[in-house]
RNA sequence: GCGCCAAUUGACA
């Protein structure tokens, strides 16, 4: 068996699954039974050559016969199922693992929890997390972060609190990502005070704030129209040695644009450009949306052209703003021209 | 033990 398995592994590593299967059949005809190593090798080989159906079939076969099965039999398949967003199948196999007391590795769990949440299957993700606790396969901080993030995004405050409480009771530690996730969540939902409180807490625990932390807090202030405080926090960020990036400035520009202070937004924009900082379509979209909202279509179009001349592709959001602006000042014909331009770029109106 | 890669957090809609 060992010799056969070695040969099979060699062919699998070369991606030659046909030869690998030939050896496998040869093996059976000579009276040797494929063992779990044979299966695991072939499963991995099929996965690496994108033949997932075949890999899955082998795994099903392994499950149906009484063959020693280990994490290696599952890992590559589940990995690929996650990549292909086939979360139902992935979850089914994870449950098979748990039934057999096999611990999936932490990367895999993080991917599954994140994938389930992205598909709106939050309760499955929560159930899995608790099932892991029961089995004493304690989810690591990344897996928990993925769950917390998913629940925050779906606005499921009750569940977020439930998970946090469980983590605290069990003495699981929060890391920078946990704090940033929660801070962003509070700030986005208008509770910037809670965000600041958590920021303080993380500092006390020796976890330093980073660009994401500041960006979220600044966003929280902007959302409430506290632009002066937002600018002060930006200064504090710099003096703390944390470098604001295009996201941070984007939040401030957006804040000014939404608050009908586009000129101040434009000032920040100019500072970015003069400082040779990268600007992107998000930044341009904020400005274009701001001008369009005010009905200043001359300026909106000028900014849009500037964007194009810099080689930055307008997005459907850019065009939506322009269309909205044109209609607002009664120039439906101009709006139609914008739609024509979108068609030429094969951007679909949303 | 080392190295590389990947998985969880921030901006326009």
């Amino acid at each position: 068996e060992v010799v056969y398995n070695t040969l099979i592994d060699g062919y699998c590593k070369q991606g030659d699954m046909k030869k690998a299967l030939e050896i496998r059949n040869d093996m059976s005809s000579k009276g040797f039974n494929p063992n779990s190593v044979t299966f695991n090798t072939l499963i991995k080989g099929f996965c690496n050559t994108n033949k997932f159906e075949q890999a899955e079939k082998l795994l099903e076969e392994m499950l149906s016969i009484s063959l020693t099965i280990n994490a290696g039999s599952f890992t590559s398949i589940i990995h690929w199922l996650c990549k292909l967003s086939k979360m139902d199948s992935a979850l089914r196999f994870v449950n098979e693992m748990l039934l057999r007391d096999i611990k999936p590795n932490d990367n895999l769990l993080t991917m599954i929890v994140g994938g389930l949440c992205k598909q709106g299957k939050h309760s499955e993700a929560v159930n899995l997390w608790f099932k892991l606790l029961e089995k004493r396969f304690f989810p690591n901080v990344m897996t928990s972060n993925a769950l917390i993030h998913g629940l925050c995004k779906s606005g499921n405050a009750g569940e977020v609190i439930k998970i946090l409480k469980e983590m605290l009771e069990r003495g699981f530690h929060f890391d920078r990502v946990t704090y940033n996730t929660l801070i962003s969540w509070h700030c986005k939902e208008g509770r910037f005070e809670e965000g600041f409180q958590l920021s303080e807490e993380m500092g006390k625990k020796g976890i330093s704030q980073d660009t994401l932390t500041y960006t979220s807090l600044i966003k929280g202030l902007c959302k409430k129209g506290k632009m002066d405080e937002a600018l002060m926090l930006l200064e504090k960020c710099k003096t703390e040695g944390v470098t604001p990036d295009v996201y941070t400035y984007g939040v401030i520009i957006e804040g000014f644009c939404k608050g009908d202070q586009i000129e101040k937004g434009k000032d920040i924009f100019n500072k970015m450009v003069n400082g040779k900082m990268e600007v992107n379509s998000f930044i341009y979209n904020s400005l274009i949306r701001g001008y369009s909202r005010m009905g200043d279509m001359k300026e909106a179009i000028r900014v849009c052209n500037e964007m194009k001349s810099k080689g930055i592709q307008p997005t459907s959001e850019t065009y939506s703003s322009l269309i909205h602006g044109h209609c607002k000042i009664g120039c439906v014909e101009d709006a139609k021209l914008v739609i024509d331009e979108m068609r030429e770029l094969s951007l679909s109106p949303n």
Side-chain angles (χ1 to χ4, degrees):
Chain A
E1 280 105 355
V2 174
V3 174
Y4 276 108
N5 287 341
T6 308
L7 277 171
I8 291 173
D9 189 38
Y11 282 119
C12 285
K13 282 192 174 135
Q14 290 188 0
D16 190 344
M17 295 312 293
K18 231 174 90 183
K19 281 260 174 52
L21 284 177
E22 273 172 32
I23 305 287
R24 195 224 105 121
N25 291 333
D26 197 31
M27 176 178 187
S28 299
S29 67
K30 295 260 165 60
F32 293 102
N33 282 328
N35 58 23
S36 55
V37 176
T38 322
F39 272 92
N40 289 354
T41 306
L42 286 167
I43 288 174
K44 204 168 175 189
F46 279 126
C47 283
N48 289 338
T49 52
N50 291 344
K51 302 198 162 87
F52 310 116
E53 327 73 38
Q54 311 226 42
E56 233 178 305
K57 220 180 281 168
L58 279 179
L59 180 54
E60 297 286 3
E61 195 182 332
M62 274 187 102
L63 291 172
S64 66
I65 61 184
S66 52
L67 212 56
T68 320
I69 204 162
N70 60 26
S73 320
F74 291 97
T75 303
S76 1
I77 292 187
I78 298 178
H79 180 98
W80 280 105
L81 287 170
C82 288
K83 288 268 174 213
L84 297 170
S85 299
K86 301 192 175 187
M87 299 314 300
D88 292 324
S89 310
L91 186 57
R92 209 184 84 238
F93 285 130
V94 169
N95 284 328
E96 294 286 354
M97 291 181 83
L98 297 181
L99 275 177
R100 289 168 174 74
D101 283 316
I102 304 169
K103 182 190 189 304
N105 70 46
D106 290 316
N107 285 355
L108 214 53
L109 290 172
T110 303
M111 260 200 281
I112 290 166
V113 167
L116 287 170
C117 288
K118 273 191 194 108
Q119 298 195 349
K121 302 182 172 154
H122 298 97
S123 54
E124 277 93 334
V126 172
N127 288 342
L128 175 59
W129 194 84
F130 278 103
K131 202 187 287 179
L132 291 168
L133 290 183
E134 261 170 47
K135 296 227 114 206
R136 312 190 66 74
F137 290 159
F138 298 116
N140 76 359
V141 68
M142 286 190 189
T143 304
S144 303
N145 286 344
L147 181 61
I148 292 168
H149 176 234
L151 294 171
C152 285
K153 246 178 107 171
S154 72
N156 208 331
E159 294 287 278
V160 174
I161 290 164
K162 202 165 99 189
I163 301 293
L164 295 180
K165 195 169 157 250
E166 192 72 36
M167 286 177 76
L168 288 174
E169 276 170 9
R170 290 178 180 268
F172 293 180
H173 68 281
F174 291 4
D175 68 0
R176 182 180 286 117
V177 174
T178 322
Y179 279 109
N180 282 349
T181 305
L182 294 170
I183 290 170
S184 160
W185 175 54
H186 285 302
C187 287
K188 247 188 214 152
E189 301 203 346
R191 299 181 296 265
F192 67 84
E193 294 94 343
E194 319 247 356
F196 279 97
Q197 202 178 311
L198 282 167
S199 168
E200 207 169 293
E201 184 182 316
M202 80 193 268
K204 275 184 197 148
K205 288 200 180 158
I207 305 172
S208 60
Q209 289 84 353
D210 66 1
T211 311
L212 278 75
T213 320
Y214 279 103
T215 303
S216 298
L217 291 170
I218 290 172
K219 164 98 181 163
L221 293 171
C222 290
K223 228 183 124 85
K224 291 282 177 184
K226 298 184 180 292
M227 294 310 297
D228 292 340
E229 291 175 50
L231 288 177
M232 276 164 59
L233 189 56
L234 177 68
E235 288 312 311
K236 176 160 184 254
C237 171
K238 290 186 210 161
T239 58
E240 297 281 328
V242 178
T243 312
D245 65 8
V246 63
Y247 287 76
T248 321
Y249 288 109
V251 169
I252 293 189
I253 292 174
E254 170 65 10
F256 279 129
C257 289
K258 274 226 169 94
D260 292 328
Q261 294 185 277
I262 303 196
E263 290 317 314
K264 290 195 181 162
K266 194 73 204 299
D267 287 345
I268 305 275
F269 173 85
N270 289 335
K271 276 186 196 148
M272 286 178 79
V273 174
N274 293 337
K276 301 252 183 304
M277 187 172 245
E278 153 210 18
V279 282
N280 59 23
S281 61
F282 281 87
I283 305 275
Y284 276 109
N285 285 349
S286 293
L287 289 171
I288 292 169
R289 214 173 105 82
Y291 285 120
S292 297
R293 250 171 22 103
M294 290 184 21
D296 185 351
M297 296 318 289
K298 205 182 271 177
E299 195 55 21
I301 290 167
R302 199 195 60 70
V303 173
C304 183
N305 287 335
E306 181 186 317
M307 172 181 187
K308 289 184 208 159
S309 74
K310 283 201 186 157
I312 300 171
Q313 267 286 338
T315 64
S316 40
E317 283 75 30
T318 319
Y319 288 116
S320 296
S321 304
L322 290 175
I323 292 168
H324 187 246
H326 280 127
C327 291
K328 194 175 168 174
I329 59 170
C331 300
V332 182
E333 289 310 313
D334 289 333
K336 283 183 182 163
L337 290 177
V338 174
I339 292 192
D340 290 340
E341 189 180 328
M342 286 183 83
R343 291 240 170 76
E344 276 165 36
L345 292 168
S346 58
L347 275 175
S348 46
N350 60 18

